[in-house]
Amino acid sequence: MDLVSKYQGVVGRVFGAENSASSEDSYVERLLDRISNGVLAEDRRTAMAELQSVVAESRAAQLAFGAMGFPVLLSVLKEERDDTEMVCGALETLLRALTPIGHAKGLKNEVQPALLNSDLLSREIESISLLLSLLSEDDFYIRYYTLQLLTALLTNSQNRLQEAILTIPRGITRLMDMLMDREVIRNEALLLLTYLTREAEEIQKIVVFEGAFEKIFSIIKEEGGSEGGVVVQDCLELLNNLLRINASNQVLLRETIGFDPLISILKLRGSTYKFTQQKTINLLSVLETISLLINGSSEAEPKDANRLTTKTILVQKNVLDHLLMLGVESQWAPISVRCMALRCIGNLIVNHPKNLDALASKLLGEEPNVEAALNSILRIILRTSSMQEFIAADYVFKSFCEKNSDGQTMLASTLIPQPQSMTHAPLEEDVKMSFGSMLLRGLTLSENDGDLETCCRAASVLSHVLKDNIQCKERILRIELEAPMPSLGGPEPLMHRMVKYLALASSMNKKDAKSSASGILYVEPTILKLLIIWLSDCPSAVQCFLDSPPHLTYLLELISNPTSTVCIRGLAAVLLGECVIYNKCCDSGKDAFSIVDSLSQKVGLRSYLLKFDDIQKSFLFSSAKPALSHQPLMRSTAASMAEIEDIDENEATSQENEDHPMLASMFDSQFVSFVKSLEADIRENIVEIYSHPKSKVAVVPAEMEQKSGESDGDYIKQLKSFVEKQCSEIQDLLSRNATLAEDLSKTSGGGASQFEHKGSGGAERVQAETLRMKLQEASQRLEMLKVEKTKVESEASMYRNLAGKMESDLKSLSDAYNSLEQANFHLEKEVKALKSGGAIPVPDVEAIKAEARVEAQKESEAELNDLLVCLGQEQSKVERLIARLLELGEEDVEKLLEGVGDDMGMPEDEEEEDN
């Protein structure tokens, strides 16, 4: 075989010529020779057993077997089916050749014999077909070892074996039949199918067509549902493989056997609700199945009809009750199960109005301690000690408020300030509070470390309530809190309390970052995010923020504070930018121009714009992902995911550590896109403000007053000259200022790329109005010129026609004149000849007659008529000549002409006779 020769070459290069001729190689070769050429059956079986043993213990023997042994053992499997012991021995030996030897410690770059052997065996489709045919054998061990061998091949050469099985007729059907075999065979077949269906859509469809759903749920029911063992886990992993990114299989599950068998696994049995590790893994697997069905086949299609239908049916099947039981009511359940259930609730309700209403109307608990499900989830957010559980519960509110203005308004309407007595009541009293009262209490607790963290969590929920809802933003703006002490004055707005807590968290970090609570790490970013969402597209919120002068000063200090993280400085820069672009204030010191002026003086425009570039390059922005994305649950990772506990808080004490799960959930792809769009608007608006003067300018120098004795005309000329000079200087200053701002914006880094497409040059921005006026004047002049051009063209056309007519007439006159001149010339020539000769030459009549006769013969009748006309003309000339001779009087004309008529008449008569 060519493959074997190539394999031997690899072995020789890796281990050298001496190793290839080692004792193990010789021993393996002798054993293979005894198996293939042995006479006694017992001796051949003994050699097979010895070969199996040496291959299982020695890597060198595995290499030697790969170079020589496959043809021998495949021949045994093909030709000696009746010898069960030899076939089983051959299968076990092949399995040992594909199994890595765990205790061998080789070099990292050393060749792994098990991988080489798997590659060699999986290259030939005939070999895979031979193994699949063994599954139809009656012997239990043959089927068992064959399944194990195929599983080992899948582990090492997954893609190649998937392609091979697809090309073998009835290959998958034989594997599916094994699910109905004895328990041990069934479990091995289940594990094999789990490996086989990973990332193989065609195989997934065939497996489902072979009745996989019915068989999977039948096995789960036999094994006891969620209380079952690892077999239930394998069944659910196979089910998830069949549903993941496969819309057709999801529809088949929904329309064939339905969701009832799946939902029944979520039911908790027993009074104590004990959660073993295996039960936890099983529940996580079921929750992942539900999550796959809810998310559909593509994350890029949130309004997919298949996904919406699945969500509707699941809620109709009361899956929401089971999820609330696992995620909210069963506080004795493991954290991983509670978090996964809360994620499923969030995915189930997002962008689904009916499911949103269903969650809003859910009541938990028993009489008389019944409360709304949203209140219970809020309590988890405010009181849980687990960061993971807080993030998952916060995701529920994020999903509830996403594009749900009615739900946001409903939640915001419950935010009513409570008296001081309720604010300082024990935590147990919050069961009697409304949603808004509980949230306000979390927002306004006293100012120590733990309460700041609670305030931060409540601020995260409030940001979801306010997002993209102007009515809710303005409603919450009107909330005023009672002052802690009457001596401090009247009530303060809730927004001012949030800014106060932001400054408090910042000062605590400055004092001792290491000793402060880990929650302080994300308190500032969370409150800043709340303020950014609050001020977005809400001028009244901007005005409320600027009503307290220290707020702007603190924000400018926070932007330029070198001890703050890149995240905090960047968010503070965004917040300040919102105070510019959404500013409708007209008061001096609060308007956009004053804010930009303060920014330029205290921070610097270039330094400010660099904050946007820094946050764009930060880890949080560059690694932003969709909210609560997680890895698939597999057998290799299930145990670690089931035992997940909270984050190690000691690892999150460094302020520069931005890989905190709370920050990662806050900076999801949606919020990152929102900040990027704001950045472009902020850059453009700041350049706009730099390019235009303040509206209120009224400065008249003293020397411009009218002097005594100065005429009004001179004074007006002086004022006009001064104004022109000032306009020129202002134009120049604005042009340079705008150009400077534009250059700073473009050179501040990569974040300016979006702005470069929107902003125009600074000089062009300042001169735009002048250019527009000039363009308008030029357009008017162009229209006038067009009218004049049309008129001139009309006149030119008329004169051109007249000139053509005159030219034609002139040409005719010229031709006539030329003819007359020529005739006159001939007459004058003849007169001169007469004067000089003294005798009148007699015309040669005979020649004329001969010429006329020749012409008469050649010409047609029409030409003869023309000739007669010509003769008539000649007669006229003769008459004129006679008249001229008579005038001369030198000769007797009658005598000269005597007899001429007779000579001329004879030819004419003859001519008539001829005709």
Side-chain angles (χ1 to χ4, degrees):
M1 294 177 62
D2 293 339
L3 293 175
V4 174
S5 61
K6 293 180 180 178
Y7 188 95
Q8 290 174 341
V10 172
V11 173
R13 288 195 299 271
V14 175
F15 290 92
E18 296 181 359
N19 285 339
S20 64
S22 62
S23 58
E24 287 86 353
D25 295 353
S26 301
Y27 184 45
V28 169
E29 186 176 1
R30 289 197 301 272
L31 291 175
L32 290 171
D33 183 67
R34 287 169 59 188
I35 293 171
S36 59
N37 300 321
V39 177
L40 298 176
E42 190 63 30
D43 181 60
R44 297 178 67 237
R45 291 172 185 148
T46 303
M48 184 70 76
E50 292 178 3
L51 180 62
Q52 176 184 338
S53 176
V54 69
V55 168
E57 295 176 357
S58 171
R59 298 176 74 248
Q62 282 185 337
L63 282 169
F65 174 82
M68 300 175 286
F70 282 112
V72 176
L73 295 194
L74 290 176
S75 176
V76 171
L77 296 178
K78 185 176 182 181
E79 299 174 1
E80 302 182 33
R81 293 286 185 91
D82 295 337
D83 193 342
T84 304
E85 186 174 349
M86 282 295 291
V87 172
C88 288
L91 288 172
E92 284 192 83
T93 304
L94 289 171
L95 182 60
R96 298 295 178 267
L98 305 185
T99 305
I101 299 176
H103 58 78
K105 296 181 180 179
L107 299 175
K108 291 183 179 179
N109 297 329
E110 192 173 359
V111 174
Q112 299 297 322
L115 295 178
L116 283 175
N117 292 341
S118 299
D119 181 74
L120 182 63
L121 183 58
S122 62
R123 283 177 183 268
E124 298 293 338
I125 297 180
E126 292 79 5
S127 303
I128 307 302
S129 179
L130 176 61
L131 292 176
L132 288 175
S133 66
L134 294 173
L135 294 176
S136 59
E137 293 293 321
D138 295 333
D139 187 77
F140 167 81
Y141 288 102
I142 292 179
R143 300 198 306 275
Y144 177 71
Y145 289 131
T146 301
L147 288 172
Q148 285 193 324
L149 184 58
L150 289 171
T151 303
L153 280 174
L154 267 174
T155 305
N156 297 329
S157 304
Q158 178 177 335
N159 294 335
R160 185 175 295 166
L161 195 63
Q162 287 173 343
E163 295 174 0
I165 290 178
L166 273 175
T167 60
I168 297 173
R170 290 183 52 81
I172 296 176
T173 304
R174 293 175 182 176
L175 295 177
M176 292 297 297
D177 292 340
M178 295 297 100
L179 292 179
M180 298 292 101
D181 209 320
R182 296 167 59 179
E183 184 175 345
V184 177
I185 299 292
R186 180 200 69 187
N187 296 344
E188 288 296 329
L190 194 61
L191 190 60
L192 173 62
L193 287 169
T194 301
Y195 284 110
L196 190 63
T197 53
R198 286 178 184 170
E199 301 177 359
E201 187 174 354
E202 292 299 323
I203 295 179
Q204 293 169 5
K205 292 179 180 179
I206 297 174
V207 169
V208 170
F209 181 76
E210 295 289 340
F213 290 146
E214 293 82 355
K215 294 175 182 178
I216 287 173
F217 285 112
S218 175
I219 296 172
I220 291 175
K221 186 176 181 180
E222 290 177 6
E223 294 294 323
S226 62
E227 303 288 342
V230 71
V231 177
V232 175
Q233 176 186 347
D234 291 338
C235 286
L236 291 171
E237 185 176 350
L238 174 59
L239 178 63
N240 292 339
N241 287 347
L242 298 177
L243 298 176
R244 186 175 291 111
I245 318 180
N246 198 317
S248 60
N249 285 353
Q250 293 177 10
V251 174
L252 278 174
L253 175 63
R254 185 180 71 220
E255 296 182 353
T256 53
I257 65 173
F259 297 144
D260 290 329
L262 182 66
I263 296 175
S264 64
I265 305 175
L266 289 175
K267 294 181 180 179
L268 298 178
R269 299 173 177 84
S271 58
T272 56
Y273 299 135
K274 293 181 180 179
F275 287 85
T276 61
Q277 184 186 47
Q278 188 59 55
K279 181 178 180 179
T280 300
I281 294 174
N282 293 343
L283 287 172
L284 287 175
S285 300
V286 179
L287 291 171
E288 183 180 6
T289 306
I290 294 175
S291 180
L292 289 172
L293 293 171
I294 293 171
N295 291 330
S297 60
S298 174
E299 293 292 341
E301 299 177 1
K303 295 184 179 180
D304 181 41
N306 177 42
R307 184 185 304 188
L308 294 176
T309 303
T310 299
K311 289 182 179 182
T312 303
I313 295 176
L314 283 172
V315 173
Q316 290 174 353
K317 297 290 184 181
N318 297 322
V319 73
L320 196 56
D321 295 333
H322 300 294
L323 294 176
L324 288 170
M325 172 61 72
L326 285 174
V328 181
E329 295 185 90
S330 301
Q331 289 301 306
W332 56 86
I335 292 176
S336 56
V337 174
R338 300 203 303 266
C339 292
M340 191 70 176
L342 288 169
R343 292 191 194 102
C344 287
I345 293 173
N347 291 329
L348 194 63
I349 65 175
V350 65
N351 295 323
H352 197 295
K354 291 184 179 179
N355 292 357
L356 287 169
D357 295 339
L359 178 62
S361 61
K362 285 291 180 183
L363 299 176
L364 303 181
E366 298 179 356
E367 295 290 347
N369 297 323
V370 177
E371 70 170 345
L374 290 176
N375 288 26
S376 300
I377 298 174
L378 178 61
R379 186 178 298 104
I380 292 174
I381 291 176
L382 298 178
R383 296 175 60 176
T384 183
S385 59
S386 168
M387 179 62 61
Q388 296 287 357
E389 189 174 14
F390 155 59
I391 294 173
D394 183 72
Y395 178 69
V396 175
F397 277 101
K398 181 179 184 298
S399 301
F400 182 83
C401 296
E402 185 74 24
K403 298 179 181 178
N404 182 20
S405 57
D406 293 338
Q408 291 173 307
T409 304
M410 182 267 292
L411 295 178
S413 65
T414 63
L415 269 75
I416 302 173
Q418 299 295 311
Q420 288 289 322
S421 59
M422 287 297 294
T423 304
H424 296 279
L427 289 175
E428 291 74 13
E429 295 293 330
D430 60 6
V431 179
K432 303 176 182 178
M433 290 184 179
S434 65
F435 173 88
S437 300
M438 197 188 313
L439 183 61
L440 276 178
R441 179 180 177 180
L443 289 168
T444 57
L445 287 175
S446 57
E447 304 161 1
N448 54 55
D449 292 359
D451 291 338
L452 268 182
E453 183 172 351
T454 303
C455 171
C456 164
R457 296 182 178 186
S460 180
V461 176
L462 183 59
S463 67
H464 303 321
V465 176
L466 299 180
K467 183 182 178 184
D468 299 330
N469 195 315
I470 301 298
Q471 294 180 351
C472 288
K473 292 178 182 180
E474 295 181 348
R475 185 187 189 109
I476 305 301
L477 277 178
R478 295 192 292 268
I479 294 179
E480 294 183 341
L481 306 175
E482 293 185 5
M485 298 178 62
S487 59
L488 295 179
E492 63 175 334
L494 178 61
M495 178 183 284
H496 291 194
R497 181 69 63 90
M498 292 296 97
V499 180
K500 176 182 177 182
Y501 287 161
L502 176 64
L504 180 63
S506 179
S507 63
M508 294 176 67
N509 280 333
K510 288 180 182 178
K511 291 180 181 177
D512 190 1
K514 293 184 179 180
S515 63
S516 59
S518 62
I520 301 300
L521 177 67
Y522 58 86
V523 168
E524 289 180 85
T526 305
I527 297 178
L528 282 170
K529 179 182 178 181
L530 168 64
L531 294 174
I532 289 173
I533 291 176
W534 203 341
L535 267 60
S536 174
D537 201 20
C538 186
S540 55
V542 173
Q543 184 171 0
C544 179
F545 180 83
L546 297 175
D547 281 342
S548 178
H551 289 177
L552 181 59
T553 304
Y554 166 69
L555 201 56
L556 291 170
E557 292 176 355
L558 193 60
I559 293 172
S560 57
N561 185 6
T563 61
S564 299
T565 63
V566 172
C567 168
I568 294 174
R569 293 197 298 268
L571 292 178
V574 174
L575 183 61
L576 183 61
E578 287 185 322
C579 293
V580 175
I581 63 177
Y582 300 121
N583 193 320
K584 304 297 182 183
C585 300
C586 298
D587 301 338
S588 178
K590 295 182 182 179
D591 59 337
F593 189 92
S594 301
I595 294 175
V596 174
D597 191 37
S598 301
L599 170 64
S600 177
Q601 293 178 5
K602 298 183 179 180
V603 179
L605 182 60
R606 180 180 180 83
S607 177
Y608 171 74
L609 294 176
L610 283 174
K611 300 299 185 294
F612 292 109
D613 302 328
D614 294 340
I615 195 173
Q616 294 283 3
K617 297 174 184 177
S618 66
F619 173 79
L620 289 171
F621 267 60
S622 59
S623 62
K625 300 176 181 179
L628 294 182
S629 58
H630 63 282
Q631 296 296 325
L633 186 68
M634 296 186 293
R635 192 170 187 175
S636 58
T637 60
S640 60
M641 294 181 69
E643 295 175 354
I644 186 173
E645 294 295 335
D646 203 19
I647 295 89
D648 186 0
E649 302 293 355
N650 295 326
E651 296 179 358
T653 56
S654 173
Q655 291 190 43
E656 296 300 328
N657 179 16
E658 295 184 340
D659 191 16
H660 196 283
M662 175 60 191
L663 293 178
S665 66
M666 184 181 76
F667 282 86
D668 57 7
S669 57
Q670 190 176 8
F671 181 69
V672 168
S673 300
F674 170 69
V675 171
K676 289 181 178 179
S677 64
L678 269 180
E679 176 196 349
D681 293 336
I682 291 169
R683 289 178 183 271
E684 184 175 10
N685 276 268
I686 287 180
V687 174
E688 279 285 343
I689 292 173
Y690 265 71
S691 304
H692 293 85
K694 292 183 68 175
S695 57
K696 298 180 180 179
V697 178
V699 179
V700 179
E703 61 270 15
M704 294 309 300
E705 297 293 337
Q706 187 174 9
K707 300 176 182 178
S708 58
E710 187 177 12
S711 64
D712 292 341
D714 294 339
Y715 181 60
I716 291 174
K717 289 180 180 180
Q718 182 182 359
L719 288 177
K720 183 178 179 181
S721 175
F722 174 76
V723 169
E724 289 177 352
K725 181 180 178 182
Q726 290 291 96
C727 287
S728 176
E729 292 177 356
I730 291 173
Q731 189 82 359
D732 183 58
L733 289 174
L734 289 177
S735 177
R736 286 186 293 168
N737 202 12
T739 304
L740 175 62
E742 186 82 16
D743 292 341
L744 286 174
S745 176
K746 289 183 178 180
T747 58
S748 58
S753 59
Q754 300 177 10
F755 172 76
E756 289 176 6
H757 297 286
K758 298 174 66 177
S760 58
E764 294 176 359
R765 187 190 304 275
V766 175
Q767 299 173 1
E769 188 65 28
T770 304
L771 291 176
R772 280 195 296 270
M773 293 177 62
K774 290 182 178 180
L775 180 61
Q776 187 176 2
E777 293 176 0
S779 299
Q780 293 175 354
R781 293 181 61 188
L782 181 61
E783 291 298 328
M784 294 174 62
L785 289 174
K786 285 181 179 180
V787 174
E788 292 179 3
K789 179 184 176 183
T790 304
K791 184 178 179 181
V792 169
E793 286 179 351
S794 177
E795 293 178 355
S797 177
M798 181 183 68
Y799 288 130
R800 194 180 300 114
N801 294 334
L802 184 60
K805 184 178 179 181
M806 293 176 68
E807 182 179 358
S808 177
D809 295 342
L810 182 60
K811 185 176 181 181
S812 301
L813 292 174
S814 176
D815 293 340
Y817 178 78
N818 291 334
S819 300
L820 291 174
E821 285 288 334
Q822 187 175 4
N824 188 37
F825 176 75
H826 286 299
L827 290 174
E828 290 180 353
K829 186 176 181 181
E830 291 176 359
V831 169
K832 289 180 181 179
L834 289 173
K835 287 181 178 181
S836 61
I840 300 174
V842 178
D844 191 354
V845 179
E846 295 297 330
I848 294 173
K849 288 183 178 181
E851 183 178 355
R853 193 174 293 110
V854 173
E855 290 296 329
Q857 293 175 357
K858 293 181 180 179
E859 298 291 337
S860 62
E861 185 175 359
E863 292 176 344
L864 182 59
N865 294 332
D866 292 338
L867 181 58
L868 293 175
V869 173
C870 292
L871 290 174
Q873 292 177 354
E874 291 295 327
Q875 184 67 30
S876 298
K877 291 181 181 180
V878 171
E879 291 175 356
R880 287 196 299 271
L881 288 173
I882 292 172
R884 181 64 175 164
L885 290 173
L886 289 174
E887 290 176 3
L888 294 174
E890 295 180 1
E891 292 289 344
D892 187 359
V893 178
E894 295 294 338
K895 186 177 182 180
L896 286 174
L897 293 177
E898 184 178 357
V900 175
D902 298 335
D903 296 337
M904 291 178 66
M906 294 176 66
E908 289 178 359
D909 297 337
E910 294 175 1
E911 185 176 349
E912 290 176 0
E913 292 176 359
D914 293 337
N915 290 334

